[in-house]
Amino acid sequence: MSSVANAPRVGFVSLGCPKALVDSEQIVTQLRAEGYETASHYAGADLVIVNTCGFIDAAVRESLDAIGEALAENGKVIVTGCLGARKDASGADLVASVHPSVLAITGPHDLPAVMQAVHTHLPKPHDPFVDLVPEQGVRLTPAHYAYLKISEGCNHRCSFCIIPSMRGDLVSRPIGEVMREAESLVKAGVKEILVISQDTSAYGVDLKYRTDFVAGRPVRTRLTELARELGELGVWIRMHYVYPYPHVDEILPLMAEGKILPYLDVPFQHAHPEVLKRMRRPASAQKNLERIRAWRAVCPELTIRSTFIAGFPGETEEQFEYLLDFLREAELDRVGCFAYSDVEGASANALEGALPAAVRDERRARFMAVQEPISAKRLKRQVGRILPVLVDRLESGQAIARSMADAPEIDGMVYIDAPGSVSQRMRFRQNIGVGQIVNVRVHTADGHDLRAALT
Ligand code: SF4
């Protein structure tokens, strides 16, 4: 992309989850659309935007540190994102009380407010080079995969979570708009689309599943229809944050047919009914086990990733053991577990029965000790198989890729070794490139990753 010699330059620091990353992409896209340049160093920037995360205390600290660094290095800082919406104990803006010299603070998903602050503190150029923006916008992920945010906010009120208070109730994007963005990503060369939201299963509920138009055809704004439409794009489609509601069953046949990836990221969080009730989660472990079995009957290749919380307030040893039994029965492929910690503003903080940190940590460690051999066993089933993998990067002597079972950043990798002889290595380099899907034969599995050779 060409640059404009005297265009104002904006530095950008993006922290937080994939949803925050999508917000960052929209801001950067808008800046470029209006003729601003982006700067890769604080020193070269006329102003810096920090997109923050406020989900857990460690993220809050990281965000506050990043703001402090940007202020020290550059001095002109606009803060956006989840931390921008947080208050301190006295009810004042948390960011403003720690860093009073920031120029402006906005909450998450507030592109107009961010742009207004930019316009105030760094007026936009008179003649914006609108046509410098690629049709698909400016993305911060590598060129071959992209996150597609289908909705914002959440209608649940899980007691450990403050996302609804920061992002509000569910607001779905109409399916026509989502599909236009997906199509333009594919046109720009994206090979994998990762569907994200706070609650993907609830897509369209707020719109009463209203009919919209996709390429002139009437299509309902609903998860199954979205999966079906995305499945026609000919790229990998990966579903994240899918709650196990009954209608999720409808997308399993699409996975079995190879239309979308046989992968579900389902945040179960716990299994014991009492704990789920205190978490205010709308789920039952027994139904979840039945559902997992039914999903696997329809699509045996299904990979299920999930996250859990150990040591939730009031969790008894018996309830924790119940969770471990669930893990043993469910045999999930990939699992993350957090030791419970208070999040400022969450109603769970007021629950009775808070456990000492040592107990929470010990339960998390026991949880992972139960899960590790299960994940390893599931992964081992891949040894000897031929799998399509998407190449993420090339390093000396090997390519690093992901299988259909691996989401970027959170799951495992497939390491593809270059063969020994010079001619074989030449062929390897010719046949493999970043963003390509290639077939490999898996020869080894460790607890997390696979090693393979090109077929
Ligand atoms: S489903 Fe629960 S944990 Fe997820 S965003 Fe909504 S309230 Fe938070």
Side-chain angles (χ1 to χ4, degrees), residues 23-85:
D23 284 353
S24 294
E25 288 170 354
Q26 286 171 347
I27 296 167
V28 173
T29 298
Q30 187 61 29
L31 287 167
R32 299 290 274 266
E34 295 187 9
Y36 291 91
E37 286 285 293
T38 45
S40 48
H41 301 290
Y42 291 127
D46 300 304
L47 175 152
V48 177
I49 299 173
V50 183
N51 188 6
T52 58
C53 175
F55 187 43
I56 56 170
D57 290 349
V60 170
R61 273 194 302 280
E62 187 192 11
S63 293
L64 289 172
D65 288 351
I67 297 164
E69 187 183 296
L71 281 169
E73 298 281 327
N74 183 280
K76 291 181 79 176
V77 176
I78 291 171
V79 174
T80 182
C82 290
L83 188 62

Side-chain angles (χ1 to χ4, degrees), residues 338-416:
F338 299 98
Y340 173 81
S341 75
D342 278 353
V343 172
E344 205 182 310
S347 62
N349 305 354
L351 290 174
E352 285 182 3
L355 298 172
V359 175
R360 290 180 259 143
D361 291 341
E362 184 256 353
R363 286 190 184 167
R364 181 192 173 275
R366 275 163 65 202
F367 178 102
M368 292 313 290
V370 168
Q371 179 59 34
E372 261 163 34
I374 297 171
S375 291
K377 187 177 116 194
R378 303 272 310 163
L379 198 60
K380 226 173 176 172
R381 297 180 316 151
Q382 305 297 356
V383 174
R385 290 188 179 170
I386 293 178
L387 304 178
V389 297
L390 177 58
V391 179
D392 274 339
R393 51 185 204 275
L394 300 174
E395 282 180 3
S396 56
Q398 65 180 357
I400 299 176
R402 287 178 292 109
S403 74
M404 294 185 183
D406 305 308
E409 312 286 343
I410 50 175
D411 292 326
M413 310 297 302
V414 181
Y415 294 91
I416 312 168

Side-chain angles (χ1 to χ4, degrees), residues 135-136 139 143 179-191 193 233 235:
E135 196 189 349
Q136 79 285 3
R139 283 177 292 108
M179 286 308 299
R180 276 194 295 281
E181 182 176 340
E183 278 159 20
S184 79
L185 289 169
V186 174
K187 259 192 235 158
V190 161
K191 298 293 191 312
I193 291 177
L233 295 178
V235 298

Side-chain angles (χ1 to χ4, degrees), residues 121-137:
H121 298 284
L122 187 65
K124 62 179 173 178
H126 289 306
D127 188 14
F129 284 69
V130 175
D131 54 359
L132 290 182
V133 183
E135 196 189 349
Q136 79 285 3

Side-chain angles (χ1 to χ4, degrees), residues 8 42 65 91 120 132 152 203 209 220 226 231 248 275 295 313 328 342 348 375 400 407 449:
Y42 291 127
D65 288 351
T120 304
L132 290 182
E152 185 60 58
Y203 177 59
Y209 305 124
R220 293 175 83 198
L226 177 67
V248 172
V275 182
W295 287 345
R328 292 182 189 104
D342 278 353
S375 291
I400 299 176
D449 304 312

Side-chain angles (χ1 to χ4, degrees), residues 291-354:
R291 184 143 283 128
I292 290 168
R293 276 188 209 113
W295 287 345
R296 286 184 172 143
V298 176
C299 181
E301 291 307 311
L302 178 67
T303 296
I304 305 176
R305 142 166 286 280
S306 190
T307 46
F308 292 85
I309 298 173
F312 193 73
E315 182 191 62
T316 62
E317 175 61 26
E318 189 197 344
Q319 290 167 347
F320 177 65
E321 286 286 345
Y322 187 99
L323 170 61
L324 297 184
D325 285 343
F326 172 83
L327 273 192
R328 292 182 189 104
E329 272 206 61
E331 296 205 333
L332 306 174
D333 297 85
R334 310 276 193 192
V335 166
C337 181
F338 299 98
Y340 173 81
S341 75
D342 278 353
V343 172
E344 205 182 310
S347 62
N349 305 354
L351 290 174
E352 285 182 3

Side-chain angles (χ1 to χ4, degrees), residues 39 89 94 105 130 159 165 175 228 230 260 315 340 379 384 414 452:
L94 178 64
I105 301 168
V130 175
S159 58
S165 67
I175 194 164
R228 200 174 289 136
L230 289 170
I260 64 173
E315 182 191 62
Y340 173 81
L379 198 60
V414 181

